[in-house]
Amino acid sequence: MASYSQASSFALSLFILSLFGSSNACGIATYWGQNGYEGTLASTCATGNYQFINIAFLTTFGSGQTPALNLAGHCYPPSGTCTTLSNDIRACQNQGIKVFLSLGGGVSSTSLSSADDATQVANYLWNNFLGGQSSSRPLGDAILDGIDFDIESGSGLYWDDLARALSGFSSQRRVYLSAAPQCPFPDAHLHTPIQTGLFDYVWIQFYNNPQCEYNNNSPDNLLASWNQWTSVPSNQIFLGLPASPAAAGSGYIPPDVLISQVLPYIKTSSKYGGVMLWSRYYDDWYSSAIIGSACSPMNKFEM
């Protein structure tokens, strides 16, 4: 039988866990799929460092275009070789990791011509990657957890209609939505869809934009931008960073600087959800260096 002090300590631990929820209440997200040398999806999840994986990217769709998935050197979708990823996807999900399909990317041909077009794209995504049925599912029969919007080019029109249409499928099976806007506020392509309040996670790209990223050895621009982003109607917002200096043109923050100068401030926000890293290929050690600080519940009280 436990002593009084042991029982009290256990009760306190349960209380703290109830405050912060499951491990998925905070986490590290990353993108996988754009470099054949980054390892398998299963090995990525097996590191234990990530709670969210964005499979990148569905680079072509909308406006009558035939949807096209580009997974660099991992597999060739037209030949059907990407269907073998189903086992990896399920392995990740069995570890409590949410797996998304990311739309767009830095080099893509994505456009929506109307609200009806957005609905057609949503139907395609539902039937080919989510809970629907199709004879030609590019990633096989595994059911992804949601869709990530990484829209960086083209028009900003009708993405809110796509979000609403995808969210409507949650009456059949939960569809999570995430967005990866650039840090200048508001984002040119994703502001309107994010304002719908339908996005569960917003991981903001605080890189390649000097006006709102860490630069000149100062976090001031980043923190000012973070304060703007906390106003968006999403329960969880993430700090998106390059996982190495080579991962982006600018915006890299050394892990020790992130831990000492940035995390203590942004974690005071009730909307703080964690850190997003671009990308798995560049993340040789960054996630391992920050995971203890990025998601430690007690750090919520740091000032």
Side-chain angles (χ1 to χ4, degrees), residues 202-217:
V202 177
W203 18 77
I204 305 133
Q205 299 183 48
F206 285 94
Y207 47 93
N208 293 332
N209 289 284
Q211 68 270 39
C212 51
E213 68 187 25
Y214 180 88
N215 55 36
N216 298 320
N217 296 318

Side-chain angles (χ1 to χ4, degrees), residues 239 258-259 261-268 272 275 293-294 302:
L239 180 73
L258 176 70
I259 292 168
Q261 296 185 26
V262 179
L263 289 179
Y265 179 87
I266 67 173
K267 289 174 69 175
T268 61
Y272 171 80
V275 175
S293 299
E302 292 178 358

Side-chain angles (χ1 to χ4, degrees), residues 128-153:
N128 286 276
F129 297 97
L130 301 169
Q133 298 291 324
S134 171
S135 60
S136 58
R137 291 173 66 95
L139 301 179
D141 60 0
I143 298 174
L144 298 181
D145 295 290
I147 300 295
D148 175 62
F149 287 47
D150 185 11
I151 308 303
E152 302 183 25
S153 61

Side-chain angles (χ1 to χ4, degrees), residues 242-260:
S244 81
S250 60
Y252 176 75
I253 306 177
D256 60 328
V257 175
L258 176 70
I259 292 168
S260 64

